[in-house]
Amino acid sequence: MSDPTPTAQRSGVSVHFRAVTKEYGAQRALNGLDLEIKPGEFVALLGPSGCGKTTALRSLAGLESVTSGELLIDGEDVTRVPVNRRDLGMVFQSYSLFPNLNVIENVEFGLRTRKVPAAERTARAQEMLERVGLGDFAERYAHQLSGGQQQRVALARALVTRPRVLLLDEPLSALDAKVRTQLRDEIRRIQLDLGITTVFVTHDQEEALAVADRIAVMNAGKIDQIGTPEELYRRPETGFVANFIGQSTLLTALVHEGRIALLGREIDLTEPLPEGALARVRVRPENLALESFEHGEGEPGRVVTSSFLGSLRRTTVHLDSGLSIVVQHSAEDTPEVDQQVRVRLLQDVVTAHVD
Amino acid sequence: MTQTGSAPVRRLSRTSGGAGGWGSAQRLIPGLGLVPFALYVLIFLLIPTVLALTTGFFNRSGAFTWDNIAALVDPTVLKTFGNSLWISLLTAALGALVGAIVCYALLSFSPTSRLRASVEAVSSVLAQFGGVMLAFAFIATIGVQGLLTVLLKDVFGVALYPGEIWLYQMPGLILPYLYFQIPLMVLTFMPALSGLKPAWTEANATLGGSSWTFWRRVGIPVLAPAFAGGFLLLFANSFSAYATAAALISQGSQIVPLQIRTALISETVLGRENLAGALALGMIVIMIVLMLAYSALQARTARWQK
Ligand SMILES: Nc1ncnc2c1ncn2[C@@H]1O[C@H](COP(=O)(O)OP(=O)(O)OP(=O)(O)O)[C@@H](O)[C@H]1O
Ligand SMILES: [Mg+2]
């Protein structure tokens, strides 16, 4: 892994979005987007459909012109630099291999436009193909490859020119689950190997959590919160982020003497809230326990569904108070549908928000 | 998954249906729908082709002869073939080029836009607008007493016909032919052009390519077969066009289809039906040569086409 190959990278460069706004007529796709990406970092842009992830990525690539704001790569303002001079590698969501060129010709494409001599071109393309595990597929055409293989070639084609930044717009979304995780991990491995700054667009939180150094959660054209997967998971700063990362249920309770009553327990708050305010708390399945109806504590309810996840189970309970809540528990407990149970909160202290 | 899962079920219902022969008979039924078309092709394409091939080699009394074929190299006949060839090549080339440019211009509009929809609709009408109607339209507008001719002369002092009246001669065929050639090209080429994926141009740009790089290395190679196919169709279309020329050209038989008519019905040169056969044979040979050239091109692109 440490032997210097011809493709050994310069270390990555930084990327800045500064108050970037993009309007399509009356529609604001990006609304003052600010984002700082460190050299060599793998950042995932995560958010629901239509929040502006693709627009952000395409603006950085130069495929869309921004309405206002600045884009900096390695400290250089590239806002007005045309696409073909930004020196970025991009992999698209739809298959984009040139159909009239075979695999190696596709990979060599960017080297040709850079006038790299033929012998070096072929050597570098072949080396990159081997890196993505397609060393033996050089002579094939796109229609002779599976979707996953096509995306691997697209990745090799984007990386072979040693671009400053790698941009990935949901490159895995057309693939089936197994190939997805496999290729996702492979992208991460190659990225670490090359040390290239990478922006990865996805709407799949599991994908983002698995590969990114940091995740930027986007909402309505700007970043709601950026942080490591752990930070986002443990300390979501907004309800939107809490809702988007991991599964959780929203509970509400009135603040009384600095505490709130949740699932039949009095709980302390990490930060004080005014007396009588309606506090909103997100509880994750792993912070809850399923208890027996007769002998346990907590709020009563009935089991709606229960799914087996290997070592654990997730059970949805319809509480008598009318709310549905998801509880994670050991796979050894096998609740039956319609069985009466109780749900208990495992935390003693929670972070609540007031709207 | 669903496919492999449902196959045995289907097979089961087949066999439970009874006799084994029924299965293959059932498969033939949809084919019956093709019978009228097959008959049509047989009667009006295959039989005439065989007749053209044979009559070209026989005289009226049915004896084998090279005379008709020899007549093909007669200077007047050669000149006619030359005329037919250049008018067809020229209008096919111009039509293909202009048609492709129109398609390219239309590409910047969404497929559902009103402009694109109406250009496509108008094209499908105009592509069929050959013949006497078309000739009349041109005579009425730019004929000797045509509306536009008179207007140009009276208002701007421009004479459309300072010398010969070219509209009623060979060059006069060019404009009317283009009138149906261009729309025909738009119809045949548009689907291929809209098949170019935006992701290809974008990949080219992010890889440092200019728009010229894209066309040279991807766009043109990908479109070449469709363009050549369109060109061939246009060539065949004007090569065999008859009515427009018949209505427009007043004297002589300058193109092969007109010559065939003369050979068939002429009263001054009696008994030359078999020359008509030889002429048709000549046309078929030219079309075959073009088709071979086209399939050679197809073969070159076959390796990357599905
Ligand atoms: N070419 C365009 N013209 C008009 N509006 C557009 C255009 N492209 C995007 N938009 C709008 O901008 C907003 C952001 O779109 P974008 O494609 O960036 O979303 P996204 O986060 O990538 O969503 P998805 O997960 O569905 O891909 C959307 O509301 C979309 O409708
Ligand atoms: Mg998108």
Side-chain angles (χ1 to χ4, degrees), chain A residues 24 27-29 47-56 64 93 169-170 201 203:
Chain A
Y24 292 107
Q27 165 95 17
R28 255 196 187 193
S49 183
C51 72
K53 305 176 300 284
T54 297
T55 308
E64 302 287 351
Q93 176 173 6
D169 187 3
E170 310 215 21
V201 162
H203 62 257

Short mmCIF file of all heavy atoms in Angstrom, two decimals, chain A residues 24 27-29 47-56 64 93 169-170 201 203, ligand 1:
data_model
loop_
_atom_site.label_atom_id
_atom_site.label_comp_id
_atom_site.label_asym_id
_atom_site.label_seq_id
_atom_site.Cartn_x
_atom_site.Cartn_y
_atom_site.Cartn_z
N TYR A 24 -32.92 29.01 -9.86
CA TYR A 24 -33.50 28.61 -11.15
C TYR A 24 -34.79 29.38 -11.25
O TYR A 24 -35.80 28.95 -10.71
CB TYR A 24 -33.81 27.12 -11.19
CG TYR A 24 -32.60 26.22 -11.18
CD1 TYR A 24 -32.27 25.49 -10.04
CD2 TYR A 24 -31.81 26.08 -12.31
CE1 TYR A 24 -31.19 24.64 -10.03
CE2 TYR A 24 -30.72 25.23 -12.31
CZ TYR A 24 -30.41 24.52 -11.18
OH TYR A 24 -29.34 23.66 -11.16
N GLN A 27 -37.02 29.65 -8.18
CA GLN A 27 -36.65 28.56 -7.28
C GLN A 27 -35.22 28.72 -6.78
O GLN A 27 -34.29 28.85 -7.56
CB GLN A 27 -36.79 27.26 -8.07
CG GLN A 27 -36.13 26.07 -7.44
CD GLN A 27 -37.12 25.28 -6.62
OE1 GLN A 27 -38.32 25.43 -6.78
NE2 GLN A 27 -36.62 24.45 -5.75
N ARG A 28 -35.03 28.73 -5.46
CA ARG A 28 -33.69 28.82 -4.88
C ARG A 28 -33.18 27.44 -4.55
O ARG A 28 -33.62 26.84 -3.57
CB ARG A 28 -33.74 29.64 -3.60
CG ARG A 28 -33.18 30.98 -3.81
CD ARG A 28 -32.86 31.69 -2.56
NE ARG A 28 -32.50 33.02 -3.06
CZ ARG A 28 -31.92 33.96 -2.36
NH1 ARG A 28 -31.62 33.72 -1.12
NH2 ARG A 28 -31.64 35.11 -2.90
N ALA A 29 -32.25 26.94 -5.34
CA ALA A 29 -31.72 25.60 -5.08
C ALA A 29 -30.64 25.65 -4.01
O ALA A 29 -30.53 24.74 -3.19
CB ALA A 29 -31.19 24.99 -6.36
N GLY A 47 -28.79 14.70 2.53
CA GLY A 47 -30.02 15.46 2.70
C GLY A 47 -31.14 14.85 1.89
O GLY A 47 -30.89 14.01 1.03
N PRO A 48 -32.37 15.27 2.14
CA PRO A 48 -33.51 14.70 1.43
C PRO A 48 -33.52 15.16 -0.02
O PRO A 48 -32.81 16.09 -0.40
CB PRO A 48 -34.71 15.27 2.18
CG PRO A 48 -34.21 16.54 2.77
CD PRO A 48 -32.77 16.33 3.08
N SER A 49 -34.35 14.51 -0.81
CA SER A 49 -34.45 14.84 -2.23
C SER A 49 -34.86 16.31 -2.41
O SER A 49 -35.72 16.81 -1.71
CB SER A 49 -35.50 13.93 -2.88
OG SER A 49 -35.56 14.20 -4.23
N GLY A 50 -34.18 16.98 -3.34
CA GLY A 50 -34.53 18.36 -3.65
C GLY A 50 -33.90 19.39 -2.75
O GLY A 50 -34.18 20.58 -2.88
N CYS A 51 -33.01 18.99 -1.82
CA CYS A 51 -32.42 19.95 -0.88
C CYS A 51 -31.26 20.71 -1.50
O CYS A 51 -30.75 21.66 -0.92
CB CYS A 51 -31.99 19.27 0.41
SG CYS A 51 -30.53 18.24 0.20
N GLY A 52 -30.80 20.29 -2.68
CA GLY A 52 -29.75 21.05 -3.37
C GLY A 52 -28.39 20.38 -3.41
O GLY A 52 -27.41 21.01 -3.79
N LYS A 53 -28.31 19.10 -3.06
CA LYS A 53 -27.02 18.40 -3.05
C LYS A 53 -26.37 18.39 -4.42
O LYS A 53 -25.21 18.78 -4.59
CB LYS A 53 -27.21 16.95 -2.59
CG LYS A 53 -27.91 16.79 -1.26
CD LYS A 53 -28.13 15.33 -0.93
CE LYS A 53 -28.98 14.56 -1.92
NZ LYS A 53 -30.42 14.83 -1.84
N THR A 54 -27.15 17.94 -5.42
CA THR A 54 -26.62 17.87 -6.78
C THR A 54 -26.23 19.25 -7.28
O THR A 54 -25.17 19.43 -7.88
CB THR A 54 -27.66 17.23 -7.72
OG1 THR A 54 -27.90 15.90 -7.28
CG2 THR A 54 -27.18 17.22 -9.14
N THR A 55 -27.06 20.23 -7.00
CA THR A 55 -26.77 21.60 -7.43
C THR A 55 -25.46 22.07 -6.83
O THR A 55 -24.63 22.68 -7.51
CB THR A 55 -27.92 22.54 -7.03
OG1 THR A 55 -29.14 21.97 -7.51
CG2 THR A 55 -27.74 23.91 -7.64
N ALA A 56 -25.24 21.77 -5.54
CA ALA A 56 -23.99 22.18 -4.89
C ALA A 56 -22.79 21.54 -5.59
O ALA A 56 -21.81 22.21 -5.91
CB ALA A 56 -24.03 21.80 -3.42
N GLU A 64 -22.86 24.08 -13.41
CA GLU A 64 -23.89 25.10 -13.23
C GLU A 64 -23.17 26.38 -12.83
O GLU A 64 -22.21 26.33 -12.06
CB GLU A 64 -24.85 24.73 -12.08
CG GLU A 64 -25.58 23.43 -12.21
CD GLU A 64 -26.68 23.44 -13.25
OE1 GLU A 64 -27.01 24.53 -13.77
OE2 GLU A 64 -27.20 22.36 -13.54
N GLN A 93 -24.34 10.00 -11.44
CA GLN A 93 -25.33 9.03 -10.99
C GLN A 93 -25.72 8.09 -12.14
O GLN A 93 -25.78 6.89 -11.99
CB GLN A 93 -26.55 9.77 -10.46
CG GLN A 93 -27.69 8.86 -10.06
CD GLN A 93 -28.82 9.62 -9.39
OE1 GLN A 93 -28.82 10.83 -9.32
NE2 GLN A 93 -29.79 8.89 -8.91
N ASP A 169 -21.62 12.08 -7.45
CA ASP A 169 -23.04 12.38 -7.28
C ASP A 169 -23.85 11.09 -7.26
O ASP A 169 -24.23 10.57 -8.29
CB ASP A 169 -23.53 13.30 -8.41
CG ASP A 169 -24.97 13.77 -8.17
OD1 ASP A 169 -25.53 13.43 -7.12
OD2 ASP A 169 -25.52 14.46 -9.04
N GLU A 170 -24.14 10.61 -6.09
CA GLU A 170 -24.89 9.36 -5.91
C GLU A 170 -24.44 8.28 -6.90
O GLU A 170 -25.27 7.74 -7.63
CB GLU A 170 -26.40 9.62 -6.09
CG GLU A 170 -26.88 10.79 -5.25
CD GLU A 170 -28.28 10.62 -4.71
OE1 GLU A 170 -28.75 9.47 -4.63
OE2 GLU A 170 -28.89 11.63 -4.36
N VAL A 201 -22.06 12.96 -2.75
CA VAL A 201 -23.47 13.30 -2.55
C VAL A 201 -24.28 12.03 -2.36
O VAL A 201 -24.13 11.07 -3.12
CB VAL A 201 -24.01 14.07 -3.77
CG1 VAL A 201 -25.53 14.05 -3.78
CG2 VAL A 201 -23.51 15.51 -3.75
N HIS A 203 -28.28 10.48 -0.50
CA HIS A 203 -29.43 10.73 0.36
C HIS A 203 -29.60 9.58 1.34
O HIS A 203 -30.57 9.50 2.06
CB HIS A 203 -30.70 10.97 -0.45
CG HIS A 203 -31.09 9.79 -1.28
ND1 HIS A 203 -30.88 9.73 -2.63
CD2 HIS A 203 -31.66 8.62 -0.93
CE1 HIS A 203 -31.29 8.56 -3.08
NE2 HIS A 203 -31.77 7.87 -2.08
N1 LIG C 1 -32.35 22.75 -14.11
C1 LIG C 1 -33.20 23.09 -13.12
N2 LIG C 1 -34.22 23.95 -13.35
C2 LIG C 1 -35.07 24.31 -12.37
N3 LIG C 1 -35.00 23.85 -11.12
C3 LIG C 1 -34.02 22.98 -10.81
C4 LIG C 1 -33.07 22.56 -11.80
N4 LIG C 1 -32.21 21.69 -11.21
C5 LIG C 1 -32.60 21.60 -9.92
N5 LIG C 1 -33.68 22.37 -9.68
C6 LIG C 1 -34.37 22.52 -8.38
O1 LIG C 1 -33.43 22.83 -7.40
C7 LIG C 1 -33.66 22.12 -6.20
C8 LIG C 1 -32.43 21.34 -5.82
O2 LIG C 1 -32.23 20.32 -6.77
P1 LIG C 1 -31.06 19.25 -6.66
O3 LIG C 1 -31.07 18.45 -7.90
O4 LIG C 1 -29.80 19.94 -6.30
O5 LIG C 1 -31.56 18.37 -5.44
P2 LIG C 1 -30.90 17.07 -4.81
O6 LIG C 1 -30.64 17.38 -3.38
O7 LIG C 1 -29.74 16.63 -5.61
O8 LIG C 1 -32.07 16.03 -4.89
P3 LIG C 1 -32.06 14.46 -5.24
O9 LIG C 1 -31.69 13.75 -3.98
O10 LIG C 1 -33.47 14.19 -5.61
O11 LIG C 1 -31.08 14.25 -6.34
C9 LIG C 1 -34.86 21.24 -6.46
O12 LIG C 1 -35.99 21.85 -5.88
C10 LIG C 1 -35.00 21.22 -7.95
O13 LIG C 1 -36.34 21.15 -8.32
#
